[in-house]
């Protein structure tokens, strides 16, 4: 796994950032899907949210969908995800 500096660099290099803090399940995931739909294949989306259930939701999105979960991290009560749009 990457170290924290590599993860933060990946977050900063994202093509788009989605701030979903304060949104409850399933809204962070729905908003992320909408944002990914607007991106080109291979572009990166950095999602920031506070919903603890998002950890499982974004993992499931990557496992059962076409998008790749490049990295994720928890910083206290804030969750960060970098998704790469798939086909």
């Amino acid at each position: 796994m990457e170290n924290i500096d590599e993860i933060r660099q990946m977050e900063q290099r994202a093509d788009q950032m989605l701030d979903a803090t304060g949104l409850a399940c399933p809204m962070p995931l729905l908003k992320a899907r909408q944002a990914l739909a607007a991106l080109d294949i291979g572009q990166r989306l950095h999602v920031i949210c506070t919903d603890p259930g998002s950890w499982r939701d974004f993992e499931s999105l990557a496992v059962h969908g076409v998008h790749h979960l490049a990295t994720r991290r928890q910083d206290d009560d804030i969750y960060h995800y970098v998704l790469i749009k798939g086909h």
Side-chain angles (χ1 to χ4, degrees):
M1 176 165 253
E2 306 94 357
N3 69 39
I4 191 67
D5 292 330
E6 291 172 339
I7 292 171
R8 286 189 174 131
Q9 287 177 1
M10 187 178 293
E11 292 168 358
Q12 291 173 352
R13 288 192 311 261
D15 298 288
Q16 184 177 339
M17 194 272 291
L18 170 65
D19 183 353
T21 56
L23 298 179
C25 183
M27 291 309 294
L29 186 61
L30 294 175
K31 295 285 188 182
R33 284 183 174 167
Q34 289 175 338
L36 284 164
L39 295 178
D40 292 329
I41 294 170
Q43 286 190 305
R44 296 171 186 235
L45 174 66
H46 176 201
V47 181
I48 302 170
C49 62
T50 51
D51 175 27
S54 66
W55 195 262
R56 178 191 64 251
D57 293 342
F58 282 98
E59 180 177 47
S60 180
L61 173 70
V63 168
H64 300 292
V66 298
H67 308 300
H68 174 68
L69 180 59
T71 191
R72 64 182 176 174
R73 70 180 174 95
Q74 181 179 354
D75 187 13
D76 293 323
D77 293 337
I78 307 290
Y79 300 87
H80 296 261
Y81 306 94
V82 176
L83 297 156
I84 301 173
K85 181 172 180 172
H87 298 276

